[in-house]
Amino acid sequence: MSRVYNFSAGPAVLPEEVLQEAADEMLDYQGSGMSVMEMSHRSKVYDNIIKTAEQDLRDLMNIPDNYKVLFLQGGASQQFAMIPMNLMKNGVADYIVTGQWAKKAWQEASKYGKANKIASSEDKTFSYIPDCSDLPISEDADYVYICENNTIYGTKYKELPNTKGKTLVADVSSCFLSEPVDVTKYGVIYGGVQKNIGPAGVVIVIIREDLITEDVLPGTPTMLQYKTHADADSLYNTPPAYGIYICGKVFQWLKKMGGLEAMKKHNEEKAKILYDFLDQSEMFKGTVEPASRSLMNVPFVTGDADLDAKFVKEAAEAGFVNLKGHRTVGGMRASIYNAMPIEGVEKLVAFMKKFEEENA
Amino acid sequence: MSRVYNFSAGPAVLPEEVLQEAADEMLDYQGSGMSVMEMSHRSKVYDNIIKTAEQDLRDLMNIPDNYKVLFLQGGASQQFAMIPMNLMKNGVADYIVTGQWAKKAWQEASKYGKANKIASSEDKTFSYIPDCSDLPISEDADYVYICENNTIYGTKYKELPNTKGKTLVADVSSCFLSEPVDVTKYGVIYGGVQKNIGPAGVVIVIIREDLITEDVLPGTPTMLQYKTHADADSLYNTPPAYGIYICGKVFQWLKKMGGLEAMKKHNEEKAKILYDFLDQSEMFKGTVEPASRSLMNVPFVTGDADLDAKFVKEAAEAGFVNLKGHRTVGGMRASIYNAMPIEGVEKLVAFMKKFEEENA
């Protein structure tokens, strides 16, 4: 077996020891005589898995008691509808559009009420985070929405927007658990797990309890009401049980690694290696304004589409895979989530140096 | 490692060789250098996994070309809303209520239009399937809805209802792939996979193409429109990729086992062993009218709650687990899905005989 360095934007690299444990337990989870895939979600053994996962996440993020943690399905895309359906009490929300996913969220919300685009960085292909210190927040806004890390464009908010007292809702899919966060600054933090946490098919929603009400928009499906899942501790119907089990293993791995402060240091160190190289390279250039750079997704280009393609091809042959950039940015993108080891980035940079020399 | 006989109603037993293969491939899927959990859903290697899975399912069920196969999230519970939101063009549908899940589907549909309960077996704790040969089908019904196998109550339709030309929609979660079906008799066949096919978190929807339109109820979320997923071949957003991969392995296992005709024979043989024993036992009695008996879920009681509890406890100690019945029926339930080997049922019956002798 030979593992590659996988720079996929998501689904993405997972810690090797988590995968090894999952393999070891596949036919018999801790003496239960069955796989976690085969367990009733109402069984004691599974109850312990999901409860431990939730508690470990609470420990890692220091989630206050007045927030619920929900393990749901449908990805961020389904949250784009759930959020307005559940939170638009006044029928008004403000959206900051910093990329494709924020834009999709805004478009979906527009079906349910007045969704105002109060800022955008689309003018420069979403290559920066706008100044959000004094935006025209709507007086009757039910919430202000952001996508905190923009996977495609490689940007991240370094400061949260000034919401002028309104509830902040954030999609953190691609920066989930990559650094400490102050949960109390948000009304809702949510994200698909398939980048930093686990296999696709689980979305985690951390939501302040006062936002969970029966007062939802007419026609909101039972399964799209936060209250349905909050009241049932994420067991209203059969949850994506195996995915949650893997997430739980990643939470334990993160605790062992030293928690989110340690991950932040680890991620800053990795990103610095790559950004420092890009800043001095004659061939490769980062596409993002330095002040808005993500620690997780690093897009870069040579400026020559043929050379980009040559690089992606030769990199893959050398064991650095999934480096092709999103079609809207072009070039390359290295996603360097929590589970990407530092030597993966070091070796990638060494390969880039060599490529630059050979193709100067 | 010691595997138990797992009679869970779902999530449920999977073929051991499928689990073994998944374990073997966990760190490196067929030389890709990564787990299927870590793969981009847009990669060639994953594309091959999902396309092969779909084709194998089409082969197994003999699905005509004018039906789409969708791999979705949210379980059957989410379909309870998706079905009326997508299909209630006239705002009318007829529901046959044969258990808790059919009832929930009917209640959810009532939020979106006129959902008529045209038949029910609730008068006798859902212990039978009503005569559906001449029901009062609504003239303007958009569809007639059934739950074809009732997991909790252990009943199954032996003949499909006479819908008088209306579209038939069926939840087949707990009888999926347990025997051949004539897909052309349905407009929609769907089911959560966590009983007969794979890990929870995937729902498969087989839908006739003319039923997939943009003309959905106002406010239907993008993610709850069949057209969204049909147009994108189930890759509109990140799918539950690992779950689909396991489903694909089960499809291949089913083909190897001889397909659905062979599974029907296998399942009839297993069920006969258990029902024959129940029919002659002085202690254990099946709860379902013989003509409506499911091949998949077999509820039975002793008539004495304490004795039931003793049986469930001692059975678990002997390696026959998850035999406790649903609280609405009481007693016991043995779910004997495709992956339950015949010796599991034989040994269970031997254990029941011994228990009956010891506790006569």
Side-chain angles (χ1 to χ4, degrees):
Chain A
M1 188 205 66
S2 156
R3 300 257 302 162
V4 293
Y5 289 110
N6 178 10
F7 295 93
S8 173
V13 58
L14 290 170
E16 195 168 317
E17 66 186 80
V18 163
L19 296 171
Q20 188 58 62
E21 275 182 31
D24 294 344
E25 293 172 349
M26 183 63 85
L27 279 87
D28 182 10
Y29 174 76
Q30 298 190 356
S32 65
M34 64 182 82
S35 173
V36 174
M37 289 188 202
E38 302 176 296
M39 279 177 192
S40 167
H41 56 296
R42 310 279 179 203
S43 64
K44 273 184 203 158
V45 57
Y46 190 73
D47 195 60
N48 187 48
I49 289 172
I50 191 169
K51 287 224 166 71
T52 302
E54 178 179 338
Q55 188 57 52
D56 284 339
L57 180 61
R58 286 185 173 275
D59 295 347
L60 282 165
M61 292 182 72
N62 196 21
I63 299 173
D65 287 345
N66 64 325
Y67 284 74
K68 282 275 189 186
V69 173
L70 307 177
F71 295 98
L72 306 181
Q73 297 184 59
S77 295
Q78 194 156 306
Q79 292 305 308
F80 298 168
M82 273 183 85
I83 288 160
M85 289 179 117
N86 283 267
L87 303 187
M88 263 194 179
K89 315 290 184 193
N90 298 327
V92 179
D94 290 343
Y95 279 72
I96 302 174
V97 175
T98 54
Q100 181 178 304
W101 300 111
K103 192 174 178 177
K104 282 199 174 186
W106 167 64
Q107 287 166 335
E108 187 78 0
S110 301
K111 291 163 64 169
Y112 302 103
K114 194 162 179 296
N116 304 302
K117 182 164 66 171
I118 57 167
S120 169
S121 53
E122 195 162 10
D123 58 334
K124 295 185 184 168
T125 323
F126 299 119
S127 58
Y128 68 103
I129 299 292
D131 177 1
C132 298
S133 59
D134 186 20
L135 294 172
I137 306 290
S138 305
E139 260 184 44
D140 50 354
D142 291 303
Y143 60 88
V144 176
Y145 182 99
I146 63 169
C147 179
E148 195 161 333
N149 186 88
N150 296 280
T151 322
I152 294 174
Y153 304 97
T155 61
K156 170 150 198 302
Y157 286 79
K158 302 295 158 142
E159 261 178 86
L160 292 177
N162 175 2
T163 64
K164 302 181 181 175
K166 302 298 180 192
T167 297
L168 180 64
V169 174
D171 173 358
V172 297
S173 296
S174 53
C175 60
F176 224 152
L177 301 179
S178 63
E179 56 184 286
V181 306
D182 180 352
V183 174
T184 64
K185 290 188 173 163
Y186 304 78
V188 181
I189 308 180
Y190 80 92
V193 304
Q194 72 272 16
K195 296 165 191 299
N196 246 340
I197 303 178
V202 182
V203 59
I204 297 175
V205 177
I206 301 160
I207 179 168
R208 215 175 54 223
E209 281 176 349
D210 61 283
L211 297 170
I212 304 168
T213 71
E214 279 173 359
D215 174 26
V216 297
L217 297 190
T220 303
T222 303
M223 279 290 288
L224 268 63
Q225 299 179 24
Y226 290 124
K227 194 167 190 326
T228 300
H229 301 286
D231 286 353
D233 291 328
S234 301
L235 295 173
Y236 171 73
N237 67 333
T238 318
Y242 193 78
I244 295 168
Y245 152 77
I246 299 291
C247 292
K249 286 197 178 296
V250 173
F251 299 153
Q252 298 208 340
W253 175 80
L254 285 167
K255 281 183 143 180
K256 212 174 67 180
M257 295 288 284
L260 301 193
E261 282 291 355
M263 285 319 295
K264 183 185 184 191
K265 199 165 159 288
H266 170 68
N267 288 325
E268 283 175 341
E269 200 177 348
K270 283 188 299 184
K272 188 174 188 303
I273 294 168
L274 193 43
Y275 285 124
D276 281 354
F277 171 72
L278 291 172
D279 286 343
Q280 63 73 52
S281 168
E282 299 285 316
M283 176 179 281
F284 298 105
K285 295 288 163 205
T287 60
V288 171
E289 283 195 7
S292 300
R293 284 172 168 174
S294 166
L295 295 181
M296 298 284 102
N297 312 99
V298 183
F300 54 95
V301 295
T302 66
D304 173 341
D306 290 340
L307 196 59
D308 287 348
K310 184 170 192 271
F311 174 80
V312 169
K313 184 172 175 287
E314 292 184 10
E317 287 162 5
F320 307 100
V321 309
N322 289 321
L323 280 165
K324 189 161 187 282
H326 192 271
R327 64 188 151 68
T328 58
V329 179
M332 284 68 70
R333 173 179 46 175
S335 293
I336 50 176
Y337 296 116
N338 283 346
M340 172 59 66
I342 194 158
E343 61 268 25
V345 180
E346 286 167 346
K347 287 182 182 169
L348 172 64
V349 166
F351 179 82
M352 290 169 78
K353 279 184 188 157
K354 185 160 155 284
F355 184 89
E356 183 167 351
E357 285 162 19
E358 290 171 0
N359 295 274
Chain B
M1 189 205 64
S2 156
R3 301 255 304 162
V4 293
Y5 289 110
N6 179 11
F7 295 92
S8 173
V13 58
L14 290 168
E16 194 168 317
E17 67 187 80
V18 164
L19 296 171
Q20 187 60 59
E21 274 182 31
D24 293 344
E25 294 172 347
M26 182 63 86
L27 278 88
D28 181 10
Y29 174 76
Q30 298 189 357
S32 65
M34 64 182 83
S35 174
V36 175
M37 288 189 202
E38 303 176 296
M39 279 177 191
S40 169
H41 56 296
R42 309 279 177 203
S43 63
K44 272 183 204 159
V45 57
Y46 190 73
D47 195 59
N48 187 48
I49 290 172
I50 190 169
K51 287 225 167 71
T52 303
E54 178 179 337
Q55 190 56 53
D56 285 339
L57 181 61
R58 285 184 175 277
D59 295 346
L60 283 165
M61 293 182 72
N62 196 19
I63 299 173
D65 286 346
N66 65 325
Y67 284 73
K68 283 276 187 185
V69 173
L70 307 177
F71 295 98
L72 306 180
Q73 298 184 60
S77 295
Q78 194 155 307
Q79 292 305 309
F80 298 169
M82 274 183 84
I83 288 159
M85 289 180 116
N86 283 269
L87 302 188
M88 264 194 179
K89 317 288 186 194
N90 298 329
V92 179
D94 290 342
Y95 279 72
I96 302 175
V97 175
T98 54
Q100 179 177 305
W101 300 110
K103 191 174 180 179
K104 282 199 176 187
W106 166 64
Q107 287 166 336
E108 187 77 0
S110 301
K111 290 164 63 170
Y112 302 103
K114 194 162 179 296
N116 304 302
K117 183 164 65 172
I118 57 168
S120 169
S121 54
E122 194 162 11
D123 58 332
K124 293 185 184 167
T125 323
F126 299 119
S127 58
Y128 68 103
I129 300 292
D131 177 0
C132 298
S133 59
D134 187 21
L135 293 172
I137 307 289
S138 305
E139 259 184 47
D140 50 353
D142 291 302
Y143 59 89
V144 175
Y145 182 98
I146 62 168
C147 179
E148 195 162 333
N149 187 87
N150 296 279
T151 322
I152 294 175
Y153 305 96
T155 61
K156 170 151 197 304
Y157 285 78
K158 302 294 158 141
E159 261 179 87
L160 293 177
N162 175 2
T163 65
K164 303 180 180 174
K166 302 299 181 189
T167 296
L168 180 64
V169 175
D171 174 358
V172 297
S173 296
S174 51
C175 59
F176 224 152
L177 301 179
S178 64
E179 56 184 285
V181 306
D182 180 353
V183 173
T184 65
K185 291 189 172 162
Y186 304 78
V188 181
I189 309 181
Y190 80 92
V193 303
Q194 71 273 13
K195 296 168 191 300
N196 246 341
I197 304 178
V202 182
V203 58
I204 297 175
V205 178
I206 301 160
I207 178 167
R208 214 176 55 223
E209 280 176 350
D210 62 282
L211 297 171
I212 304 170
T213 72
E214 278 174 358
D215 174 27
V216 298
L217 297 190
T220 302
T222 302
M223 281 289 289
L224 268 62
Q225 299 179 24
Y226 290 124
K227 193 166 191 327
T228 300
H229 301 286
D231 286 352
D233 291 328
S234 302
L235 294 174
Y236 170 74
N237 69 332
T238 318
Y242 193 79
I244 294 168
Y245 151 77
I246 299 291
C247 293
K249 286 196 178 297
V250 172
F251 299 153
Q252 298 208 340
W253 175 80
L254 284 167
K255 281 183 144 181
K256 212 174 67 181
M257 295 286 285
L260 301 193
E261 283 291 354
M263 284 320 296
K264 184 185 183 192
K265 199 165 158 285
H266 169 69
N267 288 325
E268 283 175 341
E269 200 177 349
K270 284 188 298 182
K272 187 172 188 306
I273 294 168
L274 193 43
Y275 285 123
D276 281 354
F277 172 72
L278 291 172
D279 286 344
Q280 62 73 50
S281 168
E282 299 284 316
M283 175 180 280
F284 298 104
K285 295 286 163 207
T287 60
V288 170
E289 283 193 8
S292 301
R293 283 171 168 174
S294 166
L295 294 181
M296 297 283 103
N297 312 98
V298 183
F300 54 95
V301 295
T302 65
D304 173 341
D306 291 340
L307 195 60
D308 288 348
K310 185 170 190 271
F311 175 79
V312 169
K313 183 171 176 287
E314 292 183 11
E317 286 161 5
F320 307 100
V321 309
N322 289 320
L323 280 166
K324 189 163 187 284
H326 192 271
R327 64 188 152 65
T328 57
V329 180
M332 283 68 72
R333 173 179 46 175
S335 293
I336 51 177
Y337 296 117
N338 282 347
M340 172 59 66
I342 195 159
E343 62 268 25
V345 180
E346 286 168 345
K347 287 182 182 169
L348 172 64
V349 166
F351 179 82
M352 289 168 78
K353 280 185 188 157
K354 184 159 155 284
F355 184 89
E356 183 168 351
E357 285 161 20
E358 289 172 0
N359 295 271

